[in-house]
Amino acid sequence: MPYWLFKTEPGCFSFDDLRNSSNMIAAWDGVRNYQARNFLRDAIRVGDRVLFYHSSIPEPAVVGIAEVVRAGYPDGSACDPNGEHFDPKASAHNPIWYMVDVRYGEPLPRSVSLEQIKNNPALADMPLVKRSRLSIQPVSEDEWNMILAMGGLQTR
DNA sequence: GCCAACGTTGGC
DNA sequence: GCCAACGTTGGC
């Protein structure tokens, strides 16, 4: 079962926002990076698990887990001329950008900070550590288990 | 707020 | 298709 890490600025969309969403499900829209788009469109499947990461705050951290409940489909926000994520090159025929739906899972009893992740040699290969700005990134099973353990969750 | 990393754009 | 300029991300 593949695992992923999704980054978000909590001031924009936080883990609590996901919990408070209708049915605790939200569309992960607005991704405008081709590598991340390719994951959303081609690789992410229903049932995949997601580490929910808060970025651009004093202590960036993985704060919880979520689950994919709908695989990649066209991101309509690219076609809204008044929206923040409008892309004039996108159309119904050629959507360009994709999104998935995720459902709130559970918070980590202890958030796992970027600093902790960087200090753990077992996590040195994560794109997060390599200073990639990639907002959707794959996570290995070992990395998933390690971060859940660090956060005080039994592997699940 | 700074700035390094890095992705994108566009002239040639 | 190269690469300089530019824009964005995100840690600090």
Side-chain angles (χ1 to χ4, degrees):
Chain A
M1 180 75 69
Y3 304 96
W4 306 92
L5 182 146
F6 286 13
K7 279 193 222 175
T8 177
E9 297 188 27
C12 180
F13 186 80
S14 71
F15 196 51
D16 277 346
D17 290 335
L18 179 57
R19 190 189 62 204
N20 293 328
S21 297
S22 170
N23 297 322
M24 295 190 180
I25 292 172
W28 202 271
D29 63 3
V31 173
R32 295 294 178 268
N33 167 282
Y34 284 103
Q35 197 178 350
R37 186 282 309 269
N38 292 345
F39 287 134
L40 290 170
R41 187 188 58 186
D42 305 330
I44 299 178
R45 296 285 174 250
V46 172
D48 286 1
R49 318 296 296 282
V50 174
L51 295 173
F52 201 107
Y53 178 85
H54 283 167
S55 68
S56 296
I57 51 173
E59 188 170 86
V62 176
V63 296
I65 60 176
E67 181 175 343
V68 176
V69 293
R70 184 175 175 186
Y73 62 106
D75 180 351
S77 70
C79 295
D80 173 9
N82 300 315
E84 198 176 340
H85 302 294
F86 177 60
D87 181 346
K89 296 196 289 291
S91 65
H93 180 66
N94 178 28
I96 303 181
W97 304 111
Y98 285 75
M99 59 187 178
V100 300
D101 288 353
V102 295
R103 183 173 56 214
Y104 184 85
E106 58 189 311
L108 296 183
R110 299 182 300 274
S111 293
V112 177
S113 70
L114 179 61
E115 185 182 15
Q116 287 176 274
I117 290 171
K118 283 181 166 179
N119 287 336
N120 188 328
L123 303 177
D125 288 336
M126 293 186 74
L128 203 60
V129 176
K130 294 175 175 170
R131 300 186 112 254
S132 166
R133 300 178 311 178
L134 193 60
S135 62
I136 304 281
Q137 30 181 286
V139 173
S140 76
E141 185 172 7
D142 287 346
E143 289 160 352
W144 171 272
N145 290 336
M146 174 65 74
I147 288 177
L148 260 55
M150 292 164 76
L153 270 190
Q154 299 286 346
T155 293
R156 60 192 71 198

